[in-house]
Amino acid sequence: MQSKPTSIVSFSKLHRNEHGGDPVIDRDVFSILEELADEDDPDLVAEIVELFLVDSAERMAQVADADAKSDADAIRGAAHALKSSSANIGALRFSQACASLEAAARGDDLDGLPELVCAALEMYEDVRGAFVRASDESA
């Protein structure tokens, strides 16, 4: 039996957001991605994380721009995509923040959007930082 390749990205209990609380990346969900990697594609997890980081940075920029323009439709669309992609990589708290943002934008709750956008941006930075630190630790 061949051994499973070691993921380039690893997480420990230390990867918590700066404000305490639950881990930024849910280890159980992330483990599912790691199980997909094999000797034929040992870099799969790193590639998925890289794709997430590039796409999410673009979408968070869209959210910030749409917030400045009070464009609830654009916020809703970007938040919807972020909700799904972040859940798939184990960033469950960020996914929940995006779900809240999407729901508020769908309801045209423009008064509450700036606060939700700030919360999502903050959580996104926690997620991005966790991946960067994990990548640095495994290098």
Side-chain angles (χ1 to χ4, degrees), residues 29-62:
V29 174
F30 196 79
S31 292
I32 295 168
L33 289 179
E34 292 175 319
E35 290 174 11
L36 296 175
D38 59 23
E39 64 262 1
D40 293 333
D41 196 359
D43 298 330
L44 179 66
V45 175
E47 292 167 7
I48 290 171
V49 168
E50 182 63 28
L51 286 171
F52 170 78
L53 291 174
V54 169
D55 181 67
S56 61
E58 292 172 10
R59 293 194 190 272
M60 287 307 294
Q62 291 171 355

Side-chain angles (χ1 to χ4, degrees), residues 7-28 30 34 49 89-94 123-139:
S7 171
I8 191 166
V9 179
S10 61
F11 292 95
S12 70
K13 62 184 177 190
L14 300 177
H15 293 107
R16 298 189 184 282
N17 66 40
E18 295 178 16
H19 315 291
D22 295 330
V24 175
I25 306 300
D26 183 286
R27 187 70 184 102
D28 293 335
F30 196 79
E34 292 175 319
V49 168
I89 58 142
L92 301 182
R93 291 181 64 234
F94 177 56
M123 285 187 200
Y124 172 70
E125 285 305 316
D126 288 339
V127 169
R128 191 188 65 72
F131 279 121
V132 168
R133 284 189 307 275
S135 179
D136 289 347
E137 288 173 6
S138 58

